[in-house]
Amino acid sequence: MAINQYSKRFITKIKKVYVVALPILLVLTILFNNLVIDFYYKVIYRNRFKAQAEEVVSYVELTGSFPKIEGITYRPLPADTKPYSYFEYHFFDVVTVDSDFWSILFFNQHLNNKRIKEFTTTAKIKNRWYELKITKIELNEPGGPENEAVLFAVAFSLILFFLLNWGFFQFNLNRVSYNLWRPFYQNLRRINSYHIRNKEPLQLKDTHIREFELFNQAILDFTTKTQSAYNQLREFTENTAHELQTPLSILLAKVELILKRTSLESENRKELLDIKKTIVRLSGIHKGLNLLSRIRSIQYAGNIEKKEINFNELVRESLETYEELIEYRNLTVTLQADTPVLLSTNEELVRILVDNLLRNAVQHNVNQGEITIRLTSRGFEMSNTGSVVEGRTEDLFARYHTKSTDNGRLGLGLAIVEAICETLDFHCAYAYQHSQHVIRIHWQK
Amino acid sequence: MKILLVEDETLLSDSIRSALVQEGFSCETALSFQEAREKLADKIYDIVVLDINLPGGLGFDLFGDIQSMDSHPGVLIISVRNSLDDKLRGLNLGADDYLVKPFHLDELLARIRSIIRRRYPQDSEELVYHNLSYDLAANQVRVNGQELKLTHSQLRILYYLLVNKNRTVSKESLSDYVLKDDIDMVDSFDYIYTHIKNLRQKLKKEGCEVSIVTMYGMGYTLKKSDGN
C-alpha cells in the first residue's frame, strides 16, 4: 500500500506508542535482571555453598576431629537436641563498600559489596552433638561469582527483551492491518446492504486512502448511474401503465359503438369481437404491470403500513371469492389450519398475494383436480395438481415466463407474488412434489 | 335525464356521448376542468360522469361545485386510476360509483342506470319485470314472491340482464361483468353458457314469465316468454 495521508498518520501514531512502550520494556528488563541475579544467588549459589558446607560436615563426622579452617566454629550441644540445619545470607553485617543508587537498582546490592554467608548444621561425633557454623565472607573479586551472575542476568534479559519486542511487533502488525482495512470493510458492509430499489443513494465513508477512494468513487459512479437508470425505467413503467389505459378505453368504446350498429354483417362482427377481445387482454396486462410497478414503488418508498391480520380469515375470504370457479372446475379444496394465524403485515398486499396464489392454483389446475392449503404460524403452503412445468423451475417466478399453452398470456401472477414477498420480507419457493405444484411462503426465517 | 360528461379525451368523450344519446339520455360534454366548472354553475344535471385527470385540475376538486347544486346529481367516476386509495377517496367525497378505464360501454350504461334507480326510486329498491323481481337491498331474486336460490354468478348475470332488459347484451360484456379480473381463468363463454343454462332451468321450474333468449352471434336478451 502506498504511503498516503492515512498511513502517515498511522505510522506517527505507532511511533508515539513506541516512545511509551520502549521505557516500559526497559524497566521490565531491569526488574527482570534483578530477579535473575537474586535467583542466581538464592538458588544456584546457595546450593553450591551448601555442597561445600556438607563436605566439611561429612569430613567431621568421618574423622571425628574438627579441621582448623578459618570461618568454621564449633559448639557442643546438650545431649537431647534434635539435628537441625539452616542457611543464612547477609549483606548488612559486613558492609565495607558504599553502594550507590545504580548498583542497588541494577544489582540489588549484589555487586561491589561484601556478603556474609552462614551455614549452620549439627553433627554427631562420638555420641555427642555439635553445632557447626560455616561462615564465608566474600568480596567482589575478579573471577568470582559476580561475573557469572552478571552473564547469567544479561543472557536472560536479552531473551526476555527479544520476546517482548517480538510480541509487541506482532501486536502492532495486527493493529496496523486491522486499522488499515477497517474503512474498506465498513464500506464493503454498506455496499452489501445496498439495494438498487432503495430510495437513498449509496453512501460511502471517507477513507483518506487514495486507492480506496478511487475504488469507492468508481462504485459510487456506477451505483448512481444504475440507480438513476432504474428510477427512469420505474417511472416510465408507471406512466406507461397509466397512460395506455386511456387510448385503450377509446379503442374499446369505438369498437363497442360499431358493434351496437344493427346493420353490421356477421363476418365483420366476428372480426370486431376479436379486436375487442385483444383490447381487453391488453388492458389486463397493463393492469398487472401497473400493480407490479405499484408494489415496487411501495417497496421503493420503504414505508409499509402494517397491521394485525387474521390470516385464516383472509384465506377463507379468498376461497369464497373463487368459490364458483372452483365449483365450475370441480376442484377439491382442503384447508389445513390448526391454529388461528395472526400476522402483523400489510393487509392489501397480503390479500393480493393470497388471491394471486389461489387464482394460479385454480387456473393451472386440471378439471376434478385438488388444491391443498396448509397454514402454520411460520408460513403457508399451497399445492395443486396440474400439468408438469417444462423447463427450469427457477424461472417460474420470473416475470415473463410463459408456456406455449397459455395462449400468449403473460404469467404476471407469480411475478406479483414474488414482488410482494420481497416487499414484505417473506421467502417464497416453488417445488414439484408428488405430482403436485407446491408454492411455499415463509414469513419467519 | 341530463348527463354531464367530464372527459378530456375528445375521442372517448364522443364515443361515450353517442352511446348515451343512443340510450335516450341528453348529454353535454366538458373537456376541461374550467369548462366543467362553468357548466355546473350554469345548468342543472342529474348525473355527472367524471374523469379524474383533467387539464386544469383534478376531478376530485369538482365535488365542491357538484354538492352545492340544488339537484344533487349522482356522480360516476371514470378513471385510469386503479388504486384502492383513489377509489376510497372518490367514494368518500360522495361519488356513487367508480369505474376503472377501460370499461365496456354496456357496463357504463348499467352503472348509470343503477345510479338513476338509486337516486330516483320508483318502486322501492326492486327491479321488477313481469313476475320476476330482484331485491337490491337483500340481493334476492323472487318469482311470484317466492325466493329463488341462485349462486353469486347467476345473480350477477340476472342483474345485468334485468338492468339491460329488452336490450341485447353481448356475451363479452356479460362475461366481463360477471368474471371481471378472473376472465382469463376459465373459458369464459363456456362458463357463462353453463350458468345461463342453469339459470334458465331454475326460472322455468319456478314458472317465471321471463326467459333468457339467445340472440345468435350477438348475445342474450331477457324477454317475456311466448305463451307456454
Side-chain angles (χ1 to χ4, degrees):
Chain A
M1 192 171 300
I3 297 292
N4 53 47
Q5 215 54 34
Y6 185 77
S7 42
K8 259 186 204 160
R9 212 177 61 204
F10 198 73
I11 287 166
T12 323
K13 208 165 136 193
I14 291 180
K15 276 183 192 156
K16 274 184 197 158
V17 174
Y18 256 102
V19 169
V20 181
L22 277 178
I24 293 171
L25 277 181
L26 208 64
V27 170
L28 277 175
T29 319
I30 289 165
L31 289 177
F32 188 68
N33 211 355
N34 235 324
L35 277 175
V36 170
I37 288 181
D38 255 2
F39 175 79
Y40 176 80
Y41 279 111
K42 282 183 180 154
V43 180
I44 298 175
Y45 200 70
R46 178 181 185 269
N47 284 344
R48 209 176 282 170
F49 178 62
K50 201 175 156 191
Q52 277 180 9
E54 271 163 1
E55 250 174 56
V56 175
V57 173
S58 65
Y59 173 81
V60 166
E61 281 182 337
L62 205 71
T63 58
S65 63
F66 302 106
K68 288 273 178 278
I69 300 172
E70 200 195 337
I72 301 177
T73 52
Y74 313 97
R75 194 163 61 89
L77 289 170
D80 55 343
T81 10
K82 294 211 167 100
Y84 58 89
S85 69
Y86 57 89
F87 183 80
E88 276 180 297
Y89 190 97
H90 307 284
F91 287 115
F92 38 88
D93 280 2
V94 195
V95 176
T96 53
V97 181
D98 287 335
S99 50
D100 59 356
F101 171 75
W102 291 111
S103 73
I104 291 170
L105 179 68
F106 280 97
F107 300 106
N108 194 15
Q109 297 183 328
H110 283 298
L111 300 184
N112 302 320
N113 212 335
K114 277 187 182 172
R115 286 172 297 278
I116 178 157
K117 286 176 293 205
E118 279 181 345
F119 185 66
T120 312
T121 186
T122 49
K124 202 178 185 186
I125 301 163
K126 290 169 190 150
N127 294 326
R128 272 209 69 173
W129 281 102
Y130 290 88
E131 187 196 74
L132 271 87
K133 185 179 264 181
I134 301 156
T135 313
K136 198 174 180 185
I137 297 166
E138 276 175 354
L139 288 161
N140 184 21
E141 290 155 348
E146 286 75 16
N147 288 354
E148 204 179 322
V150 168
L151 266 173
F152 201 67
V154 166
F156 270 91
S157 307
L158 266 176
I159 292 168
L160 177 81
F161 191 75
F162 177 74
L163 285 177
L164 281 176
N165 229 327
W166 175 252
F168 193 65
F169 175 71
Q170 282 292 331
F171 169 71
N172 267 326
L173 206 66
N174 284 340
R175 236 162 53 102
V176 167
S177 110
Y178 172 75
N179 274 295
L180 282 184
W181 286 101
R182 195 173 50 179
F184 172 77
Y185 283 110
Q186 279 173 340
N187 281 334
L188 191 67
R189 264 198 300 279
R190 289 188 187 196
I191 293 170
N192 277 336
S193 63
Y194 169 77
H195 201 284
I196 196 152
R197 294 191 198 104
N198 292 5
K199 201 171 191 172
E200 297 298 315
L202 179 64
Q203 297 261 321
L204 291 178
K205 224 179 135 125
D206 274 352
T207 56
H208 303 295
I209 300 173
R210 212 172 67 86
E211 288 79 359
F212 287 174
E213 286 298 310
L214 285 172
F215 190 66
N216 289 353
Q217 203 50 52
I219 284 182
L220 282 178
D221 281 352
F222 172 68
T223 52
T224 317
K225 275 181 205 152
T226 319
Q227 198 171 23
S228 76
Y230 176 81
N231 279 339
Q232 274 173 16
L233 197 64
R234 193 177 55 81
E235 278 166 25
F236 176 76
T237 318
E238 272 172 31
N239 291 339
T240 326
H242 250 127
E243 293 306 320
L244 277 174
Q245 297 291 2
T246 310
L248 280 175
S249 27
I250 296 171
L251 272 178
L252 193 59
K254 294 281 175 207
V255 171
E256 284 189 345
L257 268 183
I258 300 173
L259 278 168
K260 275 182 187 293
R261 281 180 205 151
T262 42
S263 59
L264 212 61
E265 284 171 37
S266 72
E267 219 169 278
N268 291 342
R269 175 177 294 275
K270 202 183 162 297
E271 303 280 296
L272 277 171
L273 283 175
D274 283 346
I275 293 174
K276 195 174 143 187
K277 216 186 277 176
T278 315
I279 295 169
V280 171
R281 205 169 76 194
L282 203 57
S283 158
I285 292 167
H286 268 102
K287 271 184 195 156
L289 280 175
N290 202 0
L291 178 62
L292 201 60
S293 78
R294 211 158 55 79
I295 294 164
R296 291 290 186 214
S297 62
I298 288 175
Q299 203 172 21
Y300 178 73
N303 50 347
I304 301 160
E305 270 178 54
K306 290 191 174 178
K307 78 180 221 199
E308 190 88 349
I309 54 162
N310 186 336
F311 210 83
N312 305 44
E313 202 58 45
L314 209 124
V315 171
R316 218 164 292 134
E317 280 170 27
S318 187
L319 277 172
E320 251 167 54
T321 316
Y322 293 105
E323 201 179 5
E324 277 190 280
L325 285 168
I326 290 166
E327 208 177 283
Y328 173 73
R329 302 203 59 176
N330 269 321
L331 305 175
T332 320
V333 179
T334 328
L335 177 62
Q336 298 175 358
D338 313 326
T339 47
V341 179
L342 294 171
L343 195 65
S344 172
T345 186
N346 185 289
E347 190 181 351
E348 193 193 346
L349 289 181
V350 171
R351 230 172 245 285
I352 297 170
L353 177 79
V354 175
D355 273 358
N356 262 297
L357 283 177
L358 194 60
R359 263 180 76 102
N360 196 60
V362 174
Q363 192 175 351
H364 296 292
N365 222 317
V366 290
N367 288 338
Q368 278 99 34
E370 285 170 31
I371 297 175
T372 314
I373 304 167
R374 263 169 19 94
L375 199 56
T376 64
S377 56
R378 292 184 61 234
F380 87 113
E381 193 181 286
M382 197 176 284
S383 40
N384 64 281
T385 48
S387 55
V388 182
V389 177
E390 284 159 35
R392 285 165 53 212
T393 52
E394 298 95 79
D395 294 339
L396 204 73
F397 285 108
R399 187 168 306 179
Y400 303 119
H401 175 82
T402 50
K403 275 196 294 177
S404 51
T405 51
D406 280 349
N407 306 325
R409 208 169 27 75
L410 288 171
L412 274 174
L414 284 181
I416 288 168
V417 167
E418 195 190 25
I420 291 175
C421 283
E422 230 171 81
T423 311
L424 298 177
D425 270 335
F426 292 174
H427 178 255
C428 58
Y430 166 81
Y432 187 72
Q433 286 173 349
H434 313 297
S435 61
Q436 292 215 334
H437 301 281
V438 187
I439 288 175
R440 287 192 189 89
I441 309 282
H442 286 279
W443 41 74
Q444 269 168 28
K445 278 152 199 166
Chain B
M1 286 288 157
K2 255 186 143 177
I3 295 177
L4 176 66
L5 174 63
V6 186
E7 165 65 59
D8 59 319
E9 287 288 335
T10 333
L11 289 172
L12 186 62
S13 180
D14 284 351
S15 301
I16 296 173
R17 202 173 73 93
S18 49
L20 288 172
V21 169
Q22 267 183 35
E23 291 299 313
F25 295 110
S26 108
C27 180
E28 283 193 33
T29 56
L31 292 167
S32 71
F33 186 82
Q34 206 48 47
E35 199 184 337
R37 186 162 252 184
E38 281 161 14
K39 289 208 166 162
L40 281 170
D42 267 9
K43 289 178 191 162
I44 291 170
Y45 298 97
D46 302 304
I47 304 276
V48 180
V49 178
L50 186 63
D51 189 16
I52 296 301
N53 292 339
L54 292 169
L58 282 179
F60 291 131
D61 300 327
L62 280 172
F63 274 94
D65 303 70
I66 293 166
Q67 239 102 59
S68 65
M69 287 172 71
D70 295 331
S71 61
H72 296 291
V75 182
L76 172 64
I77 295 177
I78 46 169
S79 174
V80 290
R81 297 181 179 213
N82 194 15
S83 77
L84 191 66
D85 287 346
D86 285 318
K87 285 180 190 168
L88 286 177
R89 191 177 165 193
L91 297 176
N92 282 337
L93 280 169
D96 294 76
D97 212 341
Y98 194 111
L99 193 57
V100 179
K101 283 185 199 169
F103 45 80
H104 295 276
L105 287 174
D106 285 347
E107 169 110 38
L108 177 78
L109 294 171
R111 301 258 187 139
I112 288 174
R113 274 186 219 114
S114 89
I115 290 174
I116 291 169
R117 203 174 314 108
R118 246 177 290 157
R119 293 256 148 188
Y120 313 100
Q122 284 137 1
D123 39 4
S124 74
E125 293 282 284
E126 259 187 344
L127 291 172
V128 181
Y129 190 52
H130 298 280
N131 65 352
L132 180 73
S133 70
Y134 191 111
D135 186 344
L136 292 166
N139 227 8
Q140 275 178 357
V141 173
R142 293 195 199 88
V143 176
N144 290 327
Q146 199 75 25
E147 197 197 324
L148 192 60
K149 284 262 178 232
L150 293 177
T151 67
H152 188 65
S153 292
Q154 287 165 2
L155 277 175
R156 284 181 77 85
I157 290 171
L158 200 57
Y159 173 78
Y160 200 71
L161 291 172
L162 264 171
V163 168
N164 292 297
K165 61 191 170 194
N166 289 327
R167 266 180 290 261
T168 304
V169 171
S170 71
K171 272 193 229 167
E172 291 79 32
S173 70
L174 188 59
S175 63
D176 228 50
Y177 179 77
V178 175
L179 284 161
K180 293 202 174 233
D181 290 340
D182 303 325
I183 191 133
D184 52 358
M185 289 177 68
V186 286
D187 180 350
S188 55
F189 290 169
D190 186 46
Y191 183 81
I192 293 296
Y193 175 72
T194 312
H195 276 295
I196 284 193
K197 203 173 74 184
N198 293 338
L199 197 55
R200 274 182 185 146
Q201 277 172 3
K202 282 185 185 176
L203 290 175
K204 202 172 175 186
K205 205 175 150 201
E206 293 296 318
C208 186
E209 294 168 1
V210 174
S211 68
I212 301 163
V213 179
T214 309
M215 309 296 281
Y216 183 72
M218 288 167 81
Y220 301 100
T221 316
L222 203 60
K223 273 187 180 165
K224 191 176 188 311
S225 315
D226 330 313
N228 63 351

